[in-house]
Amino acid sequence: MSAEPSTRYDPKATEPKWIDAWVREKVGHADPGSEAARAGRVFTIFIPPPNVTGVLHMGHALNGTLQDVLTRLHRMRGFETLWLPGTDHAGIATQNVVERLLAKERKSRHDLGREAFVAEVWKWKDEYEARILGQMRRLGTSPDWDRLRFTMDAGLTAAVRHVFVDLFHRGYIYRGLRLVNWCTRCGTAISDDEVTHEDVEGRLYWITYPWADGSEGGMTVATTRPETMLGDTGVAVNPDDERYTAFVGRKLLLPLVGREIPVVADAYVDKSFGAGALKVTPAHDQNDWEIGVRHKLAAPCVIAKDGTMSDEAPAAYRGLDRFEARKRVVADLEAAGHLVKIDPNPHSVGTCDRCHTIIEPLPSEQWFVRMRERSPKEPDRPSLADLAIAATREGRVRLVPERWTSFYMHWLENVRDWCISRQLWWGHRIPVFTCTKCGHADAYEKDPAACPECSSPMEQDTDVLDTWFSSDLWPLSTLGWPEQTDELRVFYPSSVLMTDRGIISLWVVRMVIMGELYAPTVETRGARTEPFRDVYIHGTILDKTGRKMSKSLGNGIDPLEMIDRYGADAVRFTLVWMTTEGQDLKLDETRFEMGRNFMNKIHNATRFALGVVDLGKRLDPDAVLAVEDRWIRTELTRTQRVVTAALTDYKFSAAAQVIYAFVWDNFCDWYLELVKPRLQVGGAAADGAKKTLVDVLVGICRMLHPIAPHITEELWEQLRPWHGVATLLAKSDWGEETFDDDDACTAIAAVRETVEAVRKLRAESRVPEKEKVDVLVVPKTESAWARLADAVRSQAPQILRLCQASSLRVERSAPPKENASGLISLGDVFIDLAGKIDLVAERARLVKETEKTGQAIAAARAKLANESFTSRAKPEVVAQERARLAESEEQAVRLSRLLEALGG
């Protein structure tokens, strides 16, 4: 017999060993030529590539855990399973990080030059990518590490360039002057979906613009950004607003500038906002830009790309920071008598999702992808947005939970053209080259040696592509596309994408578009074009009060610290337990204690088995199974079926909860207690219990492995002398259970109900813990008699032991004179209280408790009968009061029954 294991499971001693073993044994390796692959039994999942800038946070831990659960499940169920890992170059974020490091050395990227700076970023990437991947391994993930991809790998870069050139030549990509979201800190344009809206305590400034002809009065406008008025070229009113109809076409004089600007009529204007008159600043507001286009208004840009006032602003404000200019403009307006009033105005402002700087809308020449509009070169083909709409409308892409489908569709139906150019050095450089002599410009998959028109040198566009332009090819490019590869043929499309709702528009939609565009050109499994069948949108992890976790709030929970403290399996199990369908997770560190306690429970159950089953003795495969053996085997079969169905339907919490209930309640709390007497006696009677003990533990290891892989791999190894499987559990099969015995389940249910009923009656009647009682079970019908008698009598020793009983009778007889009674499914249970408690004192206590409960009932009924309370109190307060009344009424019934049994 080996040394007795510790009573405390130590994940630090276990997890590193199995992490190394899974990598060494290439557990995650997927073979496109396998028998399962040839039979079409394939499961594919692509990791949403984490940014190389970051470290593993709880969102990564949740997403990685859920992906690994499905991966391990399908691998064990015989699918050829590919979980493809990788990282994202994260253009803006990564460049910002490296630039900050250079700033500490009092250098800028311009000091190094483009080539040297990019080389520095590559060095930084290699170091931090290794950290991210190491953290993923700490979590116990099992992707195909041999297929690790990075969004700027050579093959992926070639795919990105191929798509850009193709879309450019087909008319979907164009360059134009548009108003874009400009980050003055990052120095680049960003797309609408990279703008985060944050609430601020702003102000609304009311300003009067006088009539240009010098006549009395003028028009009052309201704005949250008075510095932009320096670029106003009009005032717009709603054509249906009778207050201003007569003013349309007249000219106003722009305060502080002296420029004459017209009053125009435009249906966009909201008559109810402010004064109903809208100052129009085309260069600094997207809606104003569109009004300006409709009415042919000029668009002077008074704010520069660095956030200071530009040379197009009046001389008094040039060079000032935009927010300093706001103060100066307000002061000058007030001094000139144009400022009417200032009102508090809480509102949201757009900020860069990378650095949280307030976005400045600015006109800029950028590269765009047409989204809602069809390409002028392919007018008969659907727009890109319509391709993605059709994929979902036809059911080829399914969002889970289904409610996210409406968000997906709404975004596509209202999307603007996608700005894909970024003024950065780190990223995929735009493959458009312009001749330095004749100006010829074109997009090329290979760098041109010279201009095809005049043989002069050509210069490449200095901008890089939006990071999401490469990420949207992830399901295709990571499998070798545009080359025809075995991986692409077998593993595309993927089975499911798991992600957060925050990138449905940034990433999910765009991957669907690219799949619809380019998958038809290659041979794929089932000739499917969409990149995934299902998109599972998991909840966002919040702190225990429901706030988003962030560095600024200091409320984040580091998953690596939790792994160090509780173990990776405890972290994984807790996260899976909390993952209900699409709901956000309110997470407190103490929640991981549940996971740790569960791992310890399983560890000790195996420790018990190791103590009673001889490692050197072969278990008898034909050992006679007692009723409790047949019951627990049946429960294992039924539990595994529920787990399989729940996980394949993305009901993660349901799977974790049913495993927990089976292991903790059925197996540990009941089965182990029921078989201990047989194991103590030994001999032939114990053989069935020993075999069942081992078989069920093996079944638990299989069933729990996708969620808690480390401990189950460890226990699998310890149980190997009995289960005889030489491979790692991670490479073993799911092992579908088939045992089913309804009669055994009915019998044990009767036993459990009897024990639980007696325990409850003892507690209610305050029978001392060490005092034994006589128990009578009376079947309620003749049909119940045989089943109840056989079940209870066969387990009599266990029942007597588990509920501190001195005798147990199953018969149709009168109950004891002084008793406590309870109901079970097949009859009534009585315990004899004569001589067990002080009946006089107990009756007095029950009378007093009854009076107290009656007072509580009367008070609650009076409160609920008061219409003033029920109509004015919060619904949850009223609901709590009703719940208290129901509880008190139930208590009154119970007290009455106890008093009656005691002759009170």
Side-chain angles (χ1 to χ4, degrees):
M1 184 72 71
S2 61
E4 186 174 328
S6 168
T7 59
R8 296 294 298 176
Y9 172 60
D10 182 9
K12 291 182 179 179
T14 301
E15 292 174 356
K17 172 175 68 174
W18 296 116
I19 291 168
D20 291 343
W22 295 329
V23 174
R24 184 176 61 252
E25 296 296 322
K26 296 184 180 295
V27 162
H29 182 70
D31 179 8
S34 71
E35 183 178 341
R38 289 195 300 273
R41 195 168 169 78
V42 174
F43 180 83
T44 310
I45 190 167
F46 293 93
I47 192 171
N51 293 346
V52 290
T53 55
V55 295
L56 195 71
H57 57 63
M58 269 299 167
H60 290 133
L62 172 63
N63 193 284
T65 295
L66 299 182
Q67 290 177 85
D68 196 52
V69 167
L70 292 184
T71 298
R72 289 180 183 271
L73 170 72
H74 285 85
R75 190 182 292 134
M76 294 177 76
R77 293 184 67 209
F79 288 77
E80 192 58 45
T81 302
L82 171 62
W83 180 17
L84 196 144
T87 55
D88 191 287
H89 65 279
I92 295 176
T94 304
Q95 178 158 319
N96 279 346
V97 170
V98 177
E99 285 195 89
R100 283 198 295 270
L101 293 174
L102 287 175
K104 292 179 180 179
E105 303 174 12
R106 297 186 177 180
K107 295 179 182 177
S108 73
R109 59 181 164 128
H110 301 286
D111 293 327
L112 273 65
R114 185 166 191 148
E115 187 174 336
F117 175 77
V118 170
E120 283 297 311
V121 182
W122 273 105
K123 291 178 187 176
W124 189 92
K125 169 263 174 187
D126 290 340
E127 176 184 350
Y128 278 81
E129 180 183 60
R131 291 188 187 186
I132 281 282
L133 300 178
Q135 291 163 3
M136 287 178 61
R137 290 188 176 97
R138 286 284 311 278
L139 188 63
T141 57
S142 60
D144 189 342
W145 294 112
D146 292 338
R147 288 189 168 89
L148 179 68
R149 298 290 185 264
F150 177 58
T151 49
M152 287 180 63
D153 286 347
L156 277 69
T157 298
V160 169
R161 193 156 176 169
H162 174 81
V163 168
F164 183 96
V165 172
D166 179 65
L167 292 178
F168 177 86
H169 288 147
R170 293 169 63 184
Y172 289 100
I173 289 179
Y174 67 93
R175 184 173 174 83
L177 178 67
R178 297 285 186 276
L179 203 69
V180 299
N181 303 299
W182 186 268
C183 178
T184 59
R185 161 65 182 79
C186 299
T188 182
I190 62 175
S191 70
D192 293 344
D193 303 291
E194 294 169 296
V195 176
T196 301
H197 292 276
E198 299 180 6
D199 292 333
V200 297
E201 293 294 328
R203 295 179 177 182
L204 190 64
Y205 301 85
W206 298 71
I207 309 166
T208 295
Y209 290 13
W211 294 116
D213 60 11
S215 58
E216 186 178 349
M219 292 185 66
T220 299
V221 299
T223 180
T224 59
R225 305 176 65 213
E227 69 279 9
T228 63
M229 66 158 292
L230 303 175
D232 284 1
T233 55
V235 170
V237 297
N238 192 292
D240 297 327
D241 193 337
E242 295 178 356
R243 294 174 296 174
Y244 301 117
T245 305
F247 298 152
V248 174
R250 290 189 65 179
K251 296 289 184 69
L252 293 162
L253 194 65
L254 184 62
L256 309 183
V257 179
R259 180 166 58 240
E260 291 189 2
I261 60 176
V263 178
V264 298
D266 197 283
Y268 169 76
V269 180
D270 181 355
K271 294 187 291 183
S272 64
F273 178 77
L278 177 72
K279 60 184 287 297
V280 182
T281 319
H284 299 289
D285 182 273
Q286 183 64 52
N287 296 308
D288 290 11
W289 174 272
E290 293 170 4
I291 292 173
V293 170
R294 287 194 289 270
H295 298 279
K296 297 182 173 56
L297 301 177
C301 186
V302 297
I303 300 177
K305 290 182 176 179
D306 62 357
T308 64
M309 304 308 289
S310 75
D311 290 343
E312 293 194 63
Y317 308 102
R318 292 173 192 166
L320 291 177
D321 176 81
R322 53 185 167 156
F323 300 114
E324 182 60 33
R326 176 178 300 178
K327 297 176 185 177
R328 183 81 60 86
V329 166
V330 171
D332 291 348
L333 286 169
E334 186 172 23
H338 296 295
L339 185 65
V340 178
K341 62 177 178 176
I342 303 174
D343 290 334
N345 183 46
H347 63 282
S348 66
V349 296
T351 64
C352 173
D353 69 349
R354 297 301 181 191
C355 68
H356 302 291
T357 300
I358 293 178
I359 288 299
E360 191 61 52
L362 292 176
S364 180
E365 285 275 354
Q366 299 287 340
W367 291 97
F368 295 88
V369 175
R370 301 181 198 277
M371 298 295 290
R372 289 296 302 157
E373 179 189 3
R374 298 186 182 201
S375 167
K377 294 184 178 180
E378 298 183 352
D380 295 331
R381 291 180 59 88
S383 71
L384 301 187
D386 285 338
L387 288 175
I389 289 172
T392 304
R393 186 167 287 157
E394 294 167 8
R396 293 182 286 115
V397 173
R398 180 176 73 117
L399 275 71
V400 182
E402 195 276 333
R403 66 177 181 272
W404 289 110
T405 303
S406 59
F407 173 86
Y408 171 104
M409 301 294 265
H410 177 79
W411 186 85
L412 282 166
E413 289 164 354
N414 296 276
V415 65
R416 291 201 289 245
D417 286 355
W418 173 18
C419 177
I420 57 171
S421 47
R422 301 290 181 268
Q423 289 63 56
L424 305 171
W425 286 357
W426 172 245
H428 296 100
R429 195 164 172 182
I430 290 177
V432 173
F433 293 77
T434 304
C435 178
T436 57
K437 183 177 180 181
C438 72
H440 171 76
D442 205 349
Y444 298 89
E445 290 200 42
K446 303 287 185 182
D447 290 4
C451 174
E453 300 292 332
C454 68
S455 300
S456 299
M458 301 189 80
E459 290 182 349
Q460 187 173 0
D461 195 297
T462 58
D463 289 351
V464 301
L465 287 164
D466 175 12
T467 300
W468 298 104
F469 192 90
S470 55
S471 299
D472 64 13
L473 288 170
W474 189 249
L476 286 164
S477 61
T478 52
L479 296 177
W481 183 87
E483 300 297 324
Q484 287 274 8
T485 65
D486 288 341
E487 285 82 359
L488 189 62
R489 176 179 55 80
V490 172
F491 295 118
Y492 187 95
S494 65
S495 307
V496 60
L497 174 75
M498 311 201 76
T499 189
D500 180 83
R501 61 178 178 262
I503 55 176
I504 293 175
S505 56
L506 283 166
W507 192 44
V508 176
V509 168
R510 292 165 180 169
M511 283 190 287
V512 174
I513 289 171
M514 291 303 161
E516 295 299 283
L517 274 176
Y518 294 108
T521 66
V522 297
E523 179 188 350
T524 59
R525 177 162 41 97
R528 299 181 70 96
T529 55
E530 63 281 358
F532 26 70
R533 292 186 178 90
D534 291 342
V535 181
Y536 179 78
I537 309 296
H538 60 71
T540 299
I541 295 186
L542 310 173
D543 71 10
K544 60 184 178 182
T545 64
R547 299 176 303 172
K548 276 194 172 184
M549 292 185 178
S550 70
K551 290 182 180 179
S552 60
L553 292 174
N555 62 343
I557 298 177
D558 184 344
L560 297 179
E561 289 182 9
M562 298 303 100
I563 290 172
D564 287 338
R565 198 166 298 159
Y566 300 99
D569 287 333
V571 170
R572 289 170 60 116
F573 187 85
T574 302
L575 291 175
V576 172
W577 176 283
M578 296 178 68
T579 302
T580 53
E581 196 169 291
Q583 298 299 312
D584 290 342
L585 291 71
K586 289 185 180 180
L587 184 61
D588 181 3
E589 179 185 335
T590 58
R591 296 294 295 269
F592 295 116
E593 293 175 2
M594 179 271 291
R596 179 181 61 189
N597 294 342
F598 186 52
M599 298 307 122
N600 204 58
K601 190 79 170 179
I602 299 166
H603 166 78
N604 282 329
T606 307
R607 175 174 169 269
F608 174 79
L610 293 173
V612 298
V613 182
D614 189 348
L615 280 169
K617 183 179 179 181
R618 181 175 176 270
L619 295 171
D620 182 2
D622 299 318
V624 176
L625 301 180
V627 63
E628 62 266 28
D629 301 328
R630 300 195 302 275
W631 162 70
I632 197 66
R633 287 172 178 271
T634 299
E635 289 295 327
L636 176 62
T637 297
R638 294 174 180 179
T639 301
Q640 189 192 47
R641 288 173 183 168
V642 172
V643 171
T644 305
L647 290 180
T648 52
D649 199 27
Y650 314 120
K651 291 180 171 37
F652 295 98
S653 181
Q657 290 183 36
V658 74
I659 293 173
Y660 184 95
F662 173 79
V663 173
W664 197 295
D665 190 22
N666 288 350
F667 183 64
C668 294
D669 285 0
W670 282 100
Y671 179 72
L672 295 186
E673 291 301 321
L674 291 173
V675 299
K676 279 179 181 177
R678 290 165 57 204
L679 292 171
Q680 289 168 356
V681 170
D687 289 347
K690 290 179 180 180
K691 181 168 181 2
T692 298
L693 184 62
V694 170
D695 287 348
V696 172
L697 279 170
V698 168
I700 290 171
C701 285
R702 293 183 193 272
M703 184 169 59
L704 181 60
H705 180 72
I707 301 175
H710 308 86
I711 189 172
T712 51
E713 193 75 78
E714 177 72 14
L715 301 184
W716 177 264
E717 183 183 52
Q718 293 176 21
L719 295 168
R720 182 165 291 147
W722 298 304
H723 64 64
V725 180
T727 61
L728 292 168
L729 175 56
K731 299 180 80 170
S732 301
D733 62 27
W734 187 233
E736 300 285 350
E737 304 291 342
T738 58
F739 203 96
D740 201 354
D741 189 331
D742 267 336
D743 291 340
C745 291
T746 301
I748 298 302
V751 171
R752 290 178 63 169
E753 284 189 72
T754 301
V755 171
E756 288 167 350
V758 173
R759 286 174 172 173
K760 182 178 180 182
L761 294 173
R762 288 179 62 104
E764 288 179 342
S765 303
R766 301 199 171 190
V767 176
E769 185 177 344
K770 294 183 179 180
E771 187 76 47
K772 293 192 175 184
V773 295
D774 295 320
V775 178
L776 170 65
V777 182
V778 180
K780 64 182 179 182
T781 63
E782 289 298 328
S783 62
W785 176 270
R787 286 185 292 163
L788 185 58
D790 289 346
V792 174
R793 286 170 180 163
S794 68
Q795 298 293 314
Q798 289 88 326
I799 295 174
L800 292 172
R801 178 170 56 87
L802 293 172
C803 61
Q804 282 288 83
S806 52
S807 68
L808 171 67
R809 292 179 296 140
V810 182
E811 55 189 45
R812 304 292 293 275
S813 61
K817 182 179 180 182
E818 296 169 338
N819 70 75
S821 64
L823 297 175
I824 61 174
S825 298
L826 298 178
D828 299 305
V829 176
F830 301 89
I831 62 172
D832 190 347
L833 297 178
K836 307 301 180 184
I837 60 174
D838 184 335
L839 294 176
V840 174
E842 182 63 11
R843 287 192 196 102
R845 185 189 72 81
L846 291 173
V847 168
K848 188 174 181 180
E849 190 69 23
T850 299
E851 292 173 351
K852 183 179 177 181
T853 303
Q855 291 169 358
I857 291 172
R861 286 175 177 170
K863 198 170 187 179
L864 289 169
N866 186 343
E867 188 178 347
S868 177
F869 168 72
T870 55
S871 62
R872 295 182 182 180
K874 292 181 178 179
E876 56 267 30
V877 174
V878 177
Q880 288 173 0
E881 193 63 35
R882 288 198 173 107
R884 278 194 287 267
L885 173 60
E887 185 179 339
S888 296
E889 289 174 338
E890 183 180 339
Q891 172 80 343
V893 172
R894 185 177 65 83
L895 291 169
S896 176
R897 177 174 54 79
L898 289 172
L899 267 173
E900 184 180 355
L902 296 178

